[in-house]
Amino acid sequence: MNRTEIKKPSRQVIVLNKVRAFFSKPQNTILLLFGIVLTLTTFVPVIAIVNDTFAIHPGTIDAHLTKKVTGYSVVNYVDLFTSRLAKSNLWTPLTNTVLLATFSCIVSILYGGIFAFLVTRTNLKFKKYLSSIFIFPYIMPQWTLAVVWQNVFNSNVVTGTSNGLLAAMMEIYMPKWWCQGLFPSALVLGLHYAPFAYILIGGIFRNMDANLEEAATILNTPKWKTMLRITIPMVKPAILSTILLVFGSSMGSYPVPHYLGLTTLSTKYISMNSKYTGEASILAIIMMVFGVAILMMNQVSLRSRKSYTTVTGKSGQISKIDLGKTGKSVIAFIFIILTFFTSIFPIISFAFETILPNPGDYSFLYTGNTGNLTSKWWLTRDNIAEKGMYGQQGILYNPTIWNAFKGTLYVAVCCALLAGTIGTLIGYSVSKNRRSKWANYVNSVAFLPYLMPSIAVGAAFFIMFSNERINLFNTYALLIIAGTVKYIPFASRSSLNSMLQLSNEIEEAAIIHGIPWYKRMLRIIIPIQKSSIISGYLLPFMTCLRELSLFMLLCTQGFIVATTLDYFDEMGLYAFSSAINLILIIMILISNSLVNKITGASLDKGIGGN
Amino acid sequence: MPDIKLTNVTKRWGKFYAVDNLNLDIENNSFVTLLGPSGCGKTTTLRMIAGLETPTSGRITIGDKVVFDSEQGINVPPNKRKVGFLFQNYALWPNMTVYENIAFGLSNIKEELPIYDFSFKNTVKLIEILKNDQEVVKLIRECIDKNNKIDHNRVLIKLIDVYSISESTAKALFGYKIHEVKDSRTAAKQIIDELTKKADEIRAGYSKKGQELNEECAVTEQGKVITTVRNLSKEEIDLSVRRVAKIVKIGMFMDRYPAELSGGQQQRVAIARTLAPEPTVLFMDEPLSNLDAKLRLEMRYELQRLHVETGSTFVYVTHDQMEAMTLATKICLINNGILQQYAAPLEVYNKPNNLFVADFVGNPSINFIEAKGKQQEDGTICISMLDGIKAVFVPSAAVNLQKWFEERDASEDEEILIKQKALQDKRYVEKGNKDEAFKYKITKVDNYELDMEEEKVITDEDFVIGVRPECISITEDGAIEGIIYGAMPTGMETTVKIRVGDFLLTGVIFGNVLYRIGAAVRINISSNNITLYDRKSGKYIVSGSIQIN
């Protein structure tokens, strides 16, 4: 061998060789590319929003206070934190937000956790039906339950609106704290996120080694003590990750506090945005700080989680707790009623609202006269003759609604395709380079938007892409970018999880055979992991269909369905918004069950990821 | 030709050295086993050669191509190294059938190849087969089931196996239905005539273009074979799949998915998949460890046969010393990332480099006996062992202990010097998994006494003698007295534990003998293959025999 010739290669050759070796692995290319792209899409909007808090906006409070039209100042901070309005603009919303997020966590963990325990560890009846109906509230738009709450409990006497079902039918007037404010908001959000808790906690219960509890039983430990000292500590990681997810999500929720009349940072942001632009941006930053704090807690919890992974081995059969002959039916019955109200009643309620002649006119229910029902909201084609509709055509013929639907579908499909593909690729690459710091960084950056309150992410994108230089406001492009960035975590988590389960040797065997990368993905990896990869596409799609908080700042009313809803609400056409809700829910449910039937993929696989 | 050469290859994760400065030459056509206890770095070594793992530093060449060089930054991806790899867990693609698993890799090959005319080749082949129509009919008739119906799949597999033809050709052959007519001869004749006509037409077509077909049915022009860069044709892939399927006997499982096969069958599919592209180098990572004992033995013979038949270089990882001994032409024994010995199996067995190797290889394990002694002028070494038994060790080759010790000390000093030099380099990472001297085990009746003795200062007069179990014989005129402590007869031989003083020696006595536990016996250490080790470094000094006074 001619060693002397190759002994001293030039530096250039060495660098070139190293670069070539680096890019010969597709996962490196993917990580490098998305690392840069995601850093830009995640951090640049944040920088833009920080910049916005110092900038002076003509025609707003900061311009008024500084008497300048351009330039920078700290007046926004000074004014927000110290002025007379500080209490109503900052401290009250902040307290409300934290309280709302905390109580939502408690509600979702209690409700979802107890349900998870009952389904996985006891001999409850009707498990199959219950567990599928239980996740409905998460699939449906957040505001569904809020609107239903209004439809049921509002009354003219207490809230000054049209009478709700209870008031109209039984003349029961619920007190104000029940109808509006913190209590209903926290309850509604808690119920909305309870499926999270159910899926995460249930996952651990399902895989938990029953021997651990049996060992305690043999040592003659009372049942309650076993529960307290062994079972609950075991699910602590799942509880923790539920808290992280629910806390961040409920903080950034706009529609629920909006409908239920609670002032939080997100509703305040919207109301302050036009006159107090700079100060509103500070609110967004406060929300982001919470998001980052949650991400850090998440990292810490992930590290400590490792000590628990040993218990999730799939050994042994789980010993089921006997609830007693009556117990198992009675408890099941209670849950059937509860889930009826959270999952099925909203659909019925919305459907019913669309055939009422006037909002709150429930006369059909006590007269039984079908003349008290109407189909005008659906079928009117003539937009002049029918007076109560403000010149709108019936739902079935209304171009605004159908255009909004098309828009929503378009955005959802694009977001799902982009987020699903990018997320899958990131998950794949991270699983290949698990030891590399860069891979972990990319993974975290991809995950960060998920923990950021959506309204803050929306605000950041609004400031970034809707100014004099770049104006993407009210374009599909902007919505798709924002949606993609926000939903990549769904796909990257589920794909990372499934890729980690796939033995490396499967792909290495293909590498050895000289099979090119794209073919390995298409013919081997994706077919094997198809169900979790599909749920990586499915989750962004469904979430996108019903997203309001993220998109509301980025487009006008009527651009997508969620913002159209608001438009009709403001006009007082409640039948229209109910119909839109109805169509949305049914569309989501149909697409969910369709995908489930065809591919076997289901939502819970994606959310359960960590 | 693909000699594989590893130069100073190191792989570490943080402080953990999986492979520490390994130098290895694997010759063409050899069957090398990488052997060692679990976690010693053997799989890592294999994966580094294949390119699935990137070494921290060093250089690997396959043939005359540098596939890895940390200094030059070269790292050829595994798919360009043209090797075969058989994984421990087979790594069959669960979403593909057996046939697809084997064919998938082949469909990606794109090389410069001659152009073959398969319609011509198959026609010629069919003519050949049909000349012996009786045999065809007989083969088909063999596949008639109890309902008097012909099992199509069985017929096809049989025809494919017997005549080495592709599936489509087998179908054509079956489609002539010569087994249905009474006079198969005339029917076959008729078909042969038709086929001959067809073959002539094809040939004529080529000669019009100024081309010809040679014996292998490759297209030639003016006596030269025409080649192009192309993918393998369907026919070629099918033939390759059938060829390897025949070698490992999985012809009947072609349509099954991996999950529908037993472990042994999966194993064979994995082998077939690896063999199909005809790699000149084949890596195997404990391929037999998931099989039951009987199947493992069977597969060992298969592998041995494959090695001879394919003429490829095999590199084989195992922790089973038995497998390594029986299969390899050369064993590479690794411990804690460091090469211990690289030699032919019998040499490893008879002349282990150090105490670790001696202990690791051989079942039942070698007996270690501590001894104290000095070399006499005639070269023999007077020793006392086993609590006062005096003996003379007669080296079978001349050795000067004084010189040997000096050399040993010199090489130790040199090693320390190298280490100090390395420590000065800032990038050097200290080895977290430290190399420790191998602690050999002296079996005694009461084991706890061992701890007390360790504090003794070890001098150059301390030796360890290694006695293989088969070197101990029980004879009436044996020089050492002992008591049978335990006996395990297997029929072919008996493994006995003999108590000598406080010490226990293991011996293997061949033949059908029964020993009573507690019986007094006399034993001899009678062999020329007794090994002598330096106790201080654990290194092998010399072999020889022992004469007990």
Side-chain angles (χ1 to χ4, degrees):
Chain A
M1 208 188 298
N2 41 358
R3 287 198 89 172
T4 42
E5 194 192 39
I6 44 170
K7 195 106 197 201
K8 276 186 185 167
S10 72
R11 270 190 101 110
Q12 261 179 317
V13 173
I14 294 175
V15 171
L16 197 74
N17 280 335
K18 281 191 173 161
V19 168
R20 198 179 296 147
F22 180 82
F23 283 110
S24 70
K25 288 183 180 165
Q27 62 263 37
N28 290 337
T29 320
I30 293 169
L31 283 177
L32 190 68
L33 179 70
F34 288 122
I36 294 167
V37 170
L38 289 178
T39 306
L40 288 178
T41 55
T42 311
F43 289 117
V44 173
V46 174
I47 293 166
I49 204 169
V50 170
N51 173 59
D52 196 59
T53 62
F54 294 106
I56 288 168
H57 308 75
T60 68
I61 186 77
D62 43 35
H64 171 74
L65 288 172
T66 54
K67 311 269 188 288
K68 285 194 272 187
V69 245
T70 54
Y72 289 91
S73 81
V74 290
V75 71
N76 283 322
Y77 284 90
V78 176
D79 190 57
L80 182 69
F81 282 96
T82 60
S83 78
R84 263 185 318 114
L85 291 172
K87 189 165 186 288
S88 80
N89 277 352
L90 175 68
W91 302 117
T92 314
L94 182 61
T95 327
N96 280 343
T97 307
V98 173
L99 285 177
L100 175 66
T102 314
F103 286 123
S104 304
C105 284
I106 294 171
V107 171
S108 62
I109 285 167
L110 280 182
Y111 185 53
I114 289 171
F115 183 73
F117 178 80
L118 287 171
V119 164
T120 52
R121 308 306 303 272
T122 69
N123 59 350
L124 192 74
K125 278 197 159 185
F126 309 116
K127 271 185 198 169
K128 223 173 171 186
Y129 165 79
L130 280 175
S131 61
S132 59
I133 203 92
F134 191 82
I135 56 168
F136 267 38
Y138 182 72
I139 299 175
M140 294 191 290
Q142 286 192 338
W143 60 80
T144 313
L145 285 175
V147 172
V148 169
W149 192 274
Q150 280 184 314
N151 287 346
V152 173
F153 296 115
N154 271 8
S155 59
N156 202 316
V157 184
V158 183
T159 55
T161 55
S162 56
N163 274 339
L165 207 56
L166 273 187
M169 297 288 301
M170 291 172 251
E171 306 201 359
I172 299 172
Y173 303 103
M174 297 308 278
K176 184 142 191 198
W177 63 265
W178 179 275
C179 299
Q180 285 191 334
L182 184 62
F183 172 73
S185 303
L187 195 64
V188 162
L189 275 177
L191 288 177
H192 178 70
Y193 289 119
F196 259 4
Y198 161 59
I199 287 159
L200 291 176
I201 298 172
I204 291 198
F205 273 141
R206 204 163 281 146
N207 293 335
M208 200 166 98
D209 197 339
N211 294 348
L212 291 166
E213 285 173 329
E214 282 160 6
T217 314
I218 283 171
L219 293 172
N220 207 10
T221 322
K223 270 252 151 80
W224 61 268
K225 210 170 178 183
T226 313
M227 185 83 196
L228 218 61
R229 298 291 301 279
I230 293 168
T231 316
I232 293 194
M234 219 61 89
V235 295
K236 212 168 74 187
I239 292 178
L240 215 63
S241 41
T242 315
I243 291 177
L244 298 173
L245 294 177
V246 176
F247 199 90
S249 311
S250 48
M251 264 188 70
S253 158
Y254 171 76
V256 171
H258 170 71
Y259 279 108
L260 294 172
L262 181 74
T263 313
T264 63
L265 288 177
S266 45
T267 59
K268 202 74 206 170
Y269 178 88
I270 300 295
S271 64
M272 281 170 75
N273 199 18
S274 56
K275 282 282 164 218
Y276 294 79
T277 316
E279 294 181 23
S281 297
I282 301 175
L283 295 185
I285 288 178
I286 294 172
M287 285 193 268
M288 284 184 172
V289 169
F290 274 99
V292 173
I294 291 168
L295 179 73
M296 283 169 171
M297 276 166 65
N298 187 43
Q299 300 290 28
V300 173
S301 79
L302 277 184
R303 224 165 289 146
S304 62
R305 264 195 86 160
K306 279 178 188 153
S307 54
Y308 286 92
T309 45
T310 44
V311 303
T312 58
K314 281 181 182 158
S315 64
Q317 66 274 73
I318 300 161
S319 62
K320 303 243 159 109
I321 293 168
D322 191 7
L323 292 173
K325 235 181 183 172
T326 47
K328 66 181 181 188
S329 315
V330 168
I331 296 176
F333 192 63
I334 292 170
F335 269 97
I336 286 176
I337 292 176
L338 283 176
T339 49
F340 172 78
F341 278 107
T342 57
S343 309
I344 296 173
F345 179 73
I347 302 174
I348 299 170
S349 165
F350 283 133
F352 190 56
E353 294 282 327
T354 62
I355 48 173
L356 293 183
N358 292 300
D361 181 357
Y362 296 104
S363 48
F364 167 74
L365 287 181
Y366 44 83
T367 58
N369 182 0
T370 47
N372 288 336
L373 294 178
T374 176
S375 61
K376 68 173 179 180
W377 307 110
W378 288 95
L379 298 174
T380 307
R381 299 197 76 155
D382 180 2
N383 54 358
I384 300 152
E386 180 56 55
K387 292 249 166 60
M389 294 174 67
Y390 307 102
Q392 294 286 342
Q393 289 184 323
I395 298 152
L396 289 181
Y397 308 108
N398 195 310
T400 318
I401 295 177
W402 293 115
N403 280 339
F405 259 114
K406 270 184 229 154
T408 301
L409 266 182
Y410 180 64
V411 171
V413 168
C414 290
C415 279
L417 288 179
L418 283 173
T421 310
I422 296 173
T424 305
L425 290 177
I426 289 176
Y428 163 80
S429 313
V430 171
S431 77
K432 291 276 143 192
N433 284 13
R434 237 175 309 164
R435 287 168 198 272
S436 122
K437 281 195 182 120
W438 178 250
N440 283 332
Y441 164 77
V442 175
N443 195 27
S444 302
V445 166
F447 195 49
L448 185 66
Y450 189 53
L451 295 172
M452 292 276 200
S454 349
I455 195 117
V457 176
F461 273 95
F462 170 67
I463 289 160
M464 167 92 184
F465 287 113
S466 154
N467 49 39
E468 306 86 46
R469 272 158 291 155
I470 324 163
N471 198 347
L472 290 176
F473 181 75
N474 210 30
T475 57
Y476 288 119
L478 179 56
L479 263 58
I480 290 167
I481 294 173
T484 305
V485 170
K486 177 87 179 142
Y487 300 137
I488 283 175
F490 285 133
S492 71
R493 285 287 131 153
S494 70
S495 98
L496 177 60
N497 264 345
S498 58
M499 297 291 176
L500 287 180
Q501 284 164 13
L502 187 66
S503 152
N504 250 342
E505 293 184 347
I506 291 278
E507 197 190 349
E508 281 165 357
I511 296 176
I512 290 278
H513 277 287
I515 292 158
W517 178 74
Y518 74 93
K519 227 173 171 180
R520 294 201 298 266
M521 290 300 277
L522 290 179
R523 292 289 308 279
I524 294 169
I525 292 175
I526 294 175
I528 293 175
Q529 295 295 4
K530 67 169 186 280
S531 79
S532 57
I533 288 175
I534 287 170
S535 56
Y537 282 90
L538 189 62
L539 269 170
F541 178 73
M542 307 259 234
T543 319
C544 213
L545 283 181
R546 56 171 177 69
E547 181 68 62
L548 174 64
S549 313
L550 178 66
F551 292 148
M552 63 182 302
L553 289 167
L554 305 177
C555 61
T556 55
Q557 289 178 330
F559 196 67
I560 53 168
V561 168
T563 55
T564 311
L565 210 62
D566 218 28
Y567 170 66
F568 288 118
D569 266 351
E570 279 170 22
M571 283 175 75
L573 289 169
Y574 295 111
F576 273 49
S577 44
S578 294
I580 292 174
N581 276 329
L582 183 69
I583 299 171
L584 207 53
I585 293 172
I586 289 173
M587 197 159 97
I588 293 171
L589 289 182
I590 287 175
S591 55
N592 184 35
S593 50
L594 214 65
V595 173
N596 202 337
K597 273 269 140 55
I598 296 171
T599 64
S602 72
L603 273 181
D604 23 324
K605 271 191 192 141
I607 314 174
N610 205 321
Chain B
M1 275 281 104
D3 290 346
I4 301 167
K5 201 175 166 74
L6 281 77
T7 320
N8 299 332
V9 172
T10 296
K11 171 76 186 179
R12 60 176 174 82
W13 284 282
K15 268 184 153 184
F16 180 81
Y17 278 70
V19 175
D20 190 1
N21 206 17
L22 182 69
N23 289 293
L24 199 64
D25 278 344
I26 296 168
E27 292 126 35
N28 188 26
N29 276 342
S30 57
F31 194 135
V32 172
T33 50
L34 302 177
L35 176 67
S38 60
C40 73
K42 49 195 188 309
T43 299
T44 311
T45 308
L46 192 72
R47 290 171 58 88
M48 285 193 294
I49 306 174
L52 298 170
E53 203 86 66
T54 310
T56 312
S57 65
R59 177 192 168 94
I60 300 171
T61 54
I62 298 179
D64 43 13
K65 192 175 168 197
V66 180
V67 291
F68 180 84
D69 191 317
S70 58
E71 275 169 27
Q72 293 182 69
I74 296 174
N75 189 7
V76 177
N79 45 341
K80 302 255 165 71
R81 296 192 186 186
K82 290 199 179 144
V83 295
F85 201 111
L86 190 57
F87 293 91
Q88 185 174 6
N89 299 320
Y90 319 142
L92 296 177
W93 300 307
N95 55 325
M96 298 184 191
T97 60
V98 169
Y99 187 92
E100 286 168 328
N101 256 294
I102 302 170
F104 188 48
L106 293 170
S107 63
N108 286 289
I109 294 175
K110 198 167 190 181
E111 278 173 0
E112 184 156 345
L113 293 163
I115 303 165
Y116 294 103
D117 189 307
F118 277 98
S119 63
F120 180 75
K121 191 174 184 176
N122 291 336
T123 313
V124 173
K125 185 92 196 178
L126 279 173
I127 295 170
E128 194 96 340
I129 293 167
L130 283 170
K131 276 179 188 158
N132 192 351
D133 57 293
Q134 292 299 322
E135 198 187 340
V136 178
V137 174
K138 197 178 131 220
L139 278 175
I140 296 175
R141 291 256 163 86
E142 274 173 17
C143 300
I144 292 174
D145 61 14
K146 65 172 192 249
N147 296 330
N148 233 352
K149 271 191 180 162
I150 291 170
D151 186 340
H152 285 234
N153 282 333
R154 251 181 82 191
V155 171
L156 290 182
I157 291 166
K158 197 151 232 175
L159 293 177
I160 290 166
D161 275 359
V162 171
Y163 295 118
S164 306
I165 50 179
S166 71
E167 195 180 357
S168 59
T169 317
K171 270 185 183 155
L173 180 58
F174 184 54
Y176 294 139
K177 295 194 192 299
I178 55 167
H179 56 281
E180 284 177 13
V181 284
K182 260 193 185 161
D183 186 5
S184 61
R185 167 114 308 166
T186 39
K189 274 249 169 68
Q190 207 174 339
I191 299 163
I192 289 174
D193 286 344
E194 273 170 38
L195 289 173
T196 319
K197 214 182 271 170
K198 188 180 158 199
D200 288 343
E201 269 168 33
I202 297 171
R203 211 185 270 278
Y206 278 107
S207 46
K208 254 185 210 163
K209 285 185 275 177
Q211 292 169 329
E212 262 178 65
L213 292 169
N214 68 4
E215 287 129 45
E216 275 149 22
C217 303
V219 181
T220 57
E221 204 169 63
Q222 292 159 358
K224 272 186 189 163
V225 177
I226 305 172
T227 58
T228 51
V229 176
R230 64 178 176 95
N231 287 97
L232 293 181
S233 67
K234 231 178 159 178
E235 189 82 15
E236 283 169 294
I237 291 175
D238 192 71
L239 281 174
S240 283
V241 174
R242 303 293 171 187
R243 179 180 61 81
V244 290
K246 198 175 164 188
I247 295 178
V248 293
K249 305 187 186 87
I250 48 166
M252 50 296 234
F253 306 130
M254 282 306 182
D255 294 327
R256 293 213 203 159
Y257 283 93
E260 296 161 353
L261 298 175
S262 75
Q265 290 161 348
Q266 286 185 22
Q267 158 93 56
R268 284 185 278 165
V269 175
I271 294 177
R273 185 179 69 179
T274 317
L275 289 179
E278 300 180 37
T280 46
V281 185
L282 192 56
F283 297 135
M284 286 174 275
D285 184 3
E286 306 202 16
L288 305 185
S289 60
N290 288 351
L291 303 182
D292 66 69
K294 200 170 170 221
L295 198 56
R296 199 177 314 162
L297 197 67
E298 223 169 87
M299 290 309 291
R300 263 187 223 159
Y301 282 112
E302 298 272 309
L303 287 177
Q304 215 167 32
R305 190 172 54 89
L306 274 177
H307 178 235
V308 177
E309 274 178 20
T310 57
S312 314
T313 307
F314 279 35
V315 184
Y316 187 103
V317 162
T318 180
H319 61 258
D320 182 347
Q321 52 102 9
M322 193 67 171
E323 219 164 88
M325 293 294 291
T326 49
L327 286 174
T329 56
K330 240 174 164 183
I331 289 180
C332 168
L333 192 65
I334 303 175
N335 187 32
N336 202 23
I338 292 176
L339 181 65
Q340 304 289 334
Q341 190 162 12
Y342 181 49
L346 286 179
E347 195 179 333
V348 173
Y349 188 79
N350 290 327
K351 287 183 184 168
N353 258 354
N354 53 38
L355 290 170
F356 169 79
V357 178
D359 185 57
F360 194 84
V361 175
N363 185 27
S365 297
I366 195 166
N367 295 296
F368 287 129
I369 303 167
E370 282 173 353
K372 224 170 161 57
K374 259 192 177 167
Q375 192 170 30
Q376 308 295 308
E377 274 169 23
D378 60 350
T380 60
I381 303 157
C382 265
I383 48 174
S384 95
M385 59 180 188
L386 296 171
D387 281 340
I389 295 175
K390 297 263 189 268
V392 177
F393 184 88
V394 186
S396 50
V399 69
N400 184 344
L401 279 186
Q402 203 55 41
K403 219 170 135 195
W404 193 90
F405 287 131
E406 275 165 21
E407 273 168 19
R408 177 198 70 186
D409 291 342
S411 75
E412 263 171 22
D413 289 345
E414 199 183 357
E415 248 171 57
I416 291 168
L417 215 71
I418 291 171
K419 211 156 217 177
Q420 276 172 345
K421 228 178 188 175
L423 276 172
Q424 281 163 359
D425 187 353
K426 271 182 193 158
R427 282 185 302 176
Y428 177 77
V429 180
E430 205 185 352
K431 191 170 178 176
N433 44 329
K434 286 214 164 45
D435 302 311
E436 281 164 353
F438 175 70
K439 282 204 186 75
Y440 57 90
K441 202 178 155 207
I442 305 281
T443 41
K444 281 190 169 183
V445 180
D446 300 315
N447 265 330
Y448 59 86
E449 273 176 56
L450 208 85
D451 303 323
M452 313 245 292
E453 264 179 285
E454 269 180 39
E455 284 165 32
K456 258 193 337 194
V457 180
I458 295 163
T459 63
D460 281 350
E461 287 186 8
D462 284 307
F463 299 97
V464 176
I465 294 167
V467 182
R468 292 277 174 204
E470 67 271 21
C471 301
I472 290 179
S473 54
I474 298 182
T475 48
E476 277 175 22
D477 56 348
I480 306 171
E481 278 177 30
I483 296 164
I484 302 281
Y485 190 74
M488 299 195 173
T490 63
M492 186 170 69
E493 86 266 304
T494 305
T495 308
V496 284
K497 268 201 191 297
I498 304 155
R499 178 177 178 163
V500 179
D502 269 343
F503 296 90
L504 285 177
L505 296 178
T506 310
V508 172
I509 314 293
F510 290 92
N512 246 326
V513 205
L514 260 181
Y515 293 98
R516 188 171 55 81
I517 293 176
V521 287
R522 297 192 76 82
I523 58 169
N524 238 344
I525 298 174
S526 48
S527 168
N528 266 329
N529 276 328
I530 310 298
T531 42
L532 187 73
Y533 304 89
D534 167 32
R535 193 167 158 196
K536 205 168 174 184
S537 62
K539 279 181 186 157
Y540 167 79
I541 303 174
V542 71
S543 300
S545 56
I546 285 186
Q547 291 167 9
I548 294 159
N549 297 341

